[in-house]
Amino acid sequence: MMVGFPALMYYFWVSLEFHEGRLFYPSAYTKDGLSDFFWNEYIGKIVQAGLPNWTATKIYMGYTLLSFILAWVMPGPVVEGLPIPSLKGKRLKYVCNGLSSWYFVLVLSAVLHVTGIFRLTEIIDNFGPIMSVAIIWGFTMTTLVCISGYVQGTNHRMSGNFFYDYFMGGPLNPRVGPVDLKMWAEIRVPWVILFYCSVSCLLKQYEMDGQVTAPAAFMVLAHFFYVNACQKGEECIPTSWDMFYEKDGFMLIFWNMAGVPFTYCYASIYLMKYQLSTGTAITHSLPYTVFLYTLLILAYWVFDTGNSQKNRFRMEQNGSFFARKTFPQLPWGHIKNPSYIKTEHGNLLLTSGWWGIVRKPHYTADLCMAISWGLITGFGSFLPYFYFCFFLVVLTHRVSRDMERCAKKYGKDWERYCERVPYIFIPYIF
């Protein structure tokens, strides 16, 4: 994974940059054919247009540093996480200033673009080199966090295998000042960069043609939904499983710093590169376009309110809930007097709202949004569908793991829950 996924990212980038999104293969499966494929078609293209440069470093590391500073200084509510056993039940405090930071970045980027100080189209113009900087930073940050865990003695649940521990992580809650590095990397960096990749593609299209197509606008809207949801609901993150249990290693750090922003954007990049290569923008019929916009918006509503219902229910149980009027507050985002099943362990299993209809409503909505990102590009390339395929595999594994873990933990209480909520993804189907 630590070698293969970065290599796959470069392979997909070469496909987008030089092959109009088509996957490319050796011309012949001989020693010379494979050598030519690897050194000329793969490595040669990376050297030609994908190596880090000073412009890419300023763009990526400049935003990364800015986001860290904003996480340190911007105002926001303080929320306590769950009691951490390794800290003798201590509940860490998290400054949830993602929304104020997000609005600041939106205004700043607009000013920089309009004044010409930094044209946002430079992101798509330097996409390969920026991705390379992100990959290097993903390894660098992982190494720094790994070293800090050994120096400060904050490692947990170590296996003794260096590579496994480097991948899974050692420290549980690494911090610099008031900034929790795990939450910063999960919320502040990947989704904002993803959004600006799509914005850069849209602005590039406008500069070329003087107009914007519905698919390009669709991807900006889709990624705005995601990043805005992360920032406006940040107060729900401190009590999540990632913050409570997952250690901070390569798996989380690299994925957030490089994987998410530079693989989830393939639909936007494909739309732009296809137009640059062919001179024709991808468009669709009005009914098809309206259908996909409707699917995206409805799926987002379920995704947003489903996560809100679950996290607010959880926060009410641990005493950390407070009303926050962030934009947008969608209907059915908060369930009053919810029904639930109380287990022998004392845990409460929510059976109201979307969670009374299916067990994983947010996953269903997430997958619907993911497939819409691919469908808006048509069927000329697999790459816009990579996110959906990857996510489907991840969620299938995660759901099967969760079902098994919950059945073992809750026993008959879980059987009662499954009788109450029999469907996992889609009512009456699955």
Side-chain angles (χ1 to χ4, degrees):
M1 284 292 289
M2 290 188 289
V3 175
F5 198 79
L8 184 64
M9 290 172 66
Y10 276 117
Y11 173 77
F12 286 158
W13 170 77
V14 173
S15 297
L16 287 165
E17 187 72 22
F18 297 97
H19 300 276
E20 297 178 12
R22 294 188 297 270
L23 302 182
F24 61 105
Y25 309 96
S27 57
Y29 289 90
T30 62
K31 181 179 180 180
D32 290 340
L34 293 174
S35 177
D36 177 70
F37 170 80
F38 181 76
W39 291 110
N40 296 325
E41 291 301 316
Y42 181 65
I43 298 298
K45 293 296 190 293
I46 296 172
V47 173
Q48 177 184 334
L51 293 182
N53 56 42
W54 179 233
T55 298
T57 303
K58 286 191 295 183
I59 292 172
Y60 181 85
M61 294 308 299
Y63 170 71
T64 301
L65 178 60
L66 172 64
S67 69
F68 181 83
I69 294 172
L70 293 176
W72 191 306
V73 304
M74 292 297 281
V78 177
V79 176
E80 288 187 339
L82 296 173
I84 300 176
S86 60
L87 297 178
K88 300 180 180 179
K90 180 181 179 181
R91 300 175 65 172
L92 297 177
K93 296 183 183 298
Y94 298 81
V95 181
C96 297
N97 54 15
L99 195 65
S100 58
S101 302
W102 165 232
Y103 288 159
F104 178 89
V105 169
L106 282 175
V107 173
L108 177 62
S109 64
V111 171
L112 293 176
H113 180 77
V114 171
T115 59
I117 296 174
F118 172 65
R119 301 290 290 177
L120 293 174
T121 50
E122 290 190 43
I123 298 173
I124 183 63
D125 291 339
N126 293 276
F127 182 81
I130 295 173
M131 184 184 75
S132 293
V133 174
I135 289 172
I136 293 171
W137 173 243
F139 279 96
T140 302
M141 183 174 169
T142 301
T143 302
L144 292 174
V145 170
C146 177
I147 293 172
S148 74
Y150 284 104
V151 172
Q152 298 175 356
T154 55
N155 289 335
H156 299 278
R157 309 190 307 270
M158 303 296 279
S159 70
N161 182 303
F162 172 79
F163 293 104
Y164 179 82
D165 291 333
Y166 184 85
F167 181 81
M168 297 301 298
L172 183 61
N173 306 103
R175 293 190 165 207
V176 176
V179 180
D180 184 277
L181 294 181
K182 190 161 59 172
M183 191 164 85
W184 167 70
E186 181 173 322
I187 301 300
R188 308 301 180 80
V189 178
W191 304 108
V192 177
I193 295 178
L194 176 65
F195 170 74
Y196 277 104
C197 284
S198 291
V199 169
S200 181
C201 291
L202 181 141
L203 292 173
K204 186 74 173 181
Q205 183 181 72
Y206 183 77
E207 284 189 357
M208 292 188 327
D209 292 348
Q211 61 181 2
V212 171
T213 61
F218 179 94
M219 291 312 305
V220 171
L221 177 63
H223 292 161
F224 174 82
F225 278 161
Y226 235 110
V227 65
N228 194 70
C230 290
Q231 312 311 321
K232 80 183 184 73
E234 188 184 25
E235 72 276 6
C236 301
I237 302 299
T239 56
S240 67
W241 179 258
D242 282 357
M243 295 298 108
F244 171 72
Y245 186 81
E246 295 287 2
K247 299 184 292 181
D248 205 23
F250 180 89
M251 182 178 70
L252 289 183
I253 295 172
F254 183 87
W255 189 240
N256 286 319
M257 290 297 172
V260 168
F262 296 100
T263 60
Y264 289 10
C265 64
Y266 287 155
S268 299
I269 304 300
Y270 171 70
L271 289 170
M272 186 70 263
K273 294 299 181 181
Y274 182 89
Q275 184 174 357
L276 287 172
S277 298
T278 66
T280 303
I282 292 175
T283 57
H284 307 290
S285 67
L286 181 61
Y288 184 77
T289 302
V290 170
F291 165 73
L292 289 180
Y293 269 88
T294 303
L295 174 63
L296 173 68
I297 292 170
L298 290 178
Y300 173 72
W301 174 53
V302 176
F303 171 80
D304 186 294
T305 54
N307 279 304
S308 180
Q309 289 173 1
K310 176 188 67 174
N311 288 314
R312 287 175 175 174
F313 174 73
R314 180 190 294 153
M315 293 172 72
E316 285 178 333
Q317 305 314 309
N318 62 42
S320 63
F321 174 75
F322 63 97
R324 194 180 183 198
K325 301 299 181 181
T326 51
F327 175 81
Q329 290 297 314
L330 301 176
W332 219 28
H334 183 203
I335 307 171
K336 296 181 179 180
N337 303 315
S339 64
Y340 54 83
I341 293 176
K342 187 171 184 178
T343 69
E344 293 181 358
H345 289 74
N347 300 88
L348 307 182
L349 304 177
L350 180 63
T351 58
S352 283
W354 296 115
W355 303 88
I357 300 174
V358 292
R359 297 178 215 164
K360 300 293 182 180
H362 56 325
Y363 287 173
T364 303
D366 226 345
L367 287 171
C368 287
M369 288 192 290
I371 192 64
S372 75
W373 297 8
L375 292 173
I376 199 65
T377 69
F379 302 95
S381 172
F382 159 75
L383 294 182
Y385 295 90
F386 169 76
Y387 168 53
F388 171 77
C389 295
F390 173 80
F391 206 39
L392 181 63
V393 172
V394 169
L395 291 188
T396 301
H397 168 72
R398 188 179 297 174
V399 167
S400 61
R401 181 197 64 186
D402 289 350
M403 297 298 113
E404 182 179 344
R405 180 175 60 85
C406 289
K408 183 177 181 180
K409 180 177 180 180
Y410 299 126
K412 292 183 178 180
D413 291 324
W414 183 251
E415 294 177 7
R416 283 199 300 134
Y417 171 75
C418 292
E419 290 177 2
R420 182 86 63 87
V421 188
Y423 302 103
I424 299 175
F425 291 117
I426 305 173
Y428 306 105
I429 297 178
F430 180 66

